[in-house]
Amino acid sequence: MSTEEDTKERLKSALWYYVGKTVDEKCLTSNRNATPQFIGALTELVWAQIENVAIDLESFAHHARRETVTTDDVFLLARKNPDLQQLMRDFIAELPRQDGRQRLPGAAKKSKGKDVATRISQR
């Protein structure tokens, strides 16, 4: 097994563990049961969604002629979900910048005068 395949299997195992843990916690609080098959199917669904999101983010970065995914790409991915965008803005506002200053929500690199988060929120 190659290193890449090994890494993928370890990530999938970790995802399976955390999905199972989350489902178990929800089952305990709601007095329900979940089968191992359900947890497996939910894990596969989440894995497929993660792969799709990764492809989209890489495509957005590539289109912008960048090799690194930025917050602009993530905001673009969430462009049709204003509630998710607000959660992300709030989260970014709480993150300290590398230079010690506080980052403003939606204050990613500017392109053509406005950043993606601003352009999206104006729609």
Side-chain angles (χ1 to χ4, degrees):
M1 193 184 287
S2 74
T3 305
E4 188 174 318
E5 291 173 354
D6 185 45
T7 301
K8 184 176 178 178
E9 285 302 314
R10 287 188 306 123
L11 287 171
K12 211 168 190 179
S13 295
L15 180 64
W16 184 299
Y17 171 77
Y18 284 107
V19 167
K21 186 176 174 181
T22 303
V23 168
D24 286 345
E25 289 171 4
K26 291 295 180 183
C27 286
L28 288 174
T29 59
S30 64
N31 201 20
R32 303 268 187 229
N33 290 324
T35 65
Q37 292 82 7
F38 171 78
I39 294 170
L42 184 58
T43 301
E44 290 298 323
L45 178 73
V46 171
W47 184 262
Q49 186 66 25
I50 290 169
E51 287 182 325
N52 288 334
V53 165
I55 290 167
D56 288 347
L57 291 173
E58 287 175 346
S59 297
F60 295 153
H62 179 73
H63 181 74
R65 293 181 175 85
R66 288 183 276 104
E67 292 185 16
T68 305
V69 172
T70 66
T71 54
D72 284 344
D73 303 317
V74 179
F75 275 107
L76 188 58
L77 184 70
R79 66 189 173 276
K80 294 183 180 179
N81 190 336
D83 293 334
L84 179 58
Q85 283 185 339
Q86 189 58 50
L87 283 171
M88 291 188 311
R89 279 191 192 93
D90 294 344
F91 179 79
I92 290 170
E94 294 175 11
L95 291 176
R97 291 178 54 161
Q98 289 179 349
D99 59 8
R101 296 183 305 176
Q102 198 67 13
R103 183 178 184 97
L104 298 175
K109 281 186 178 178
K110 302 274 182 181
S111 64
K112 298 182 183 175
K114 293 184 179 179
D115 67 328
V116 173
T118 304
R119 291 192 305 263
I120 291 171
S121 65
Q122 291 174 347
R123 289 184 182 174

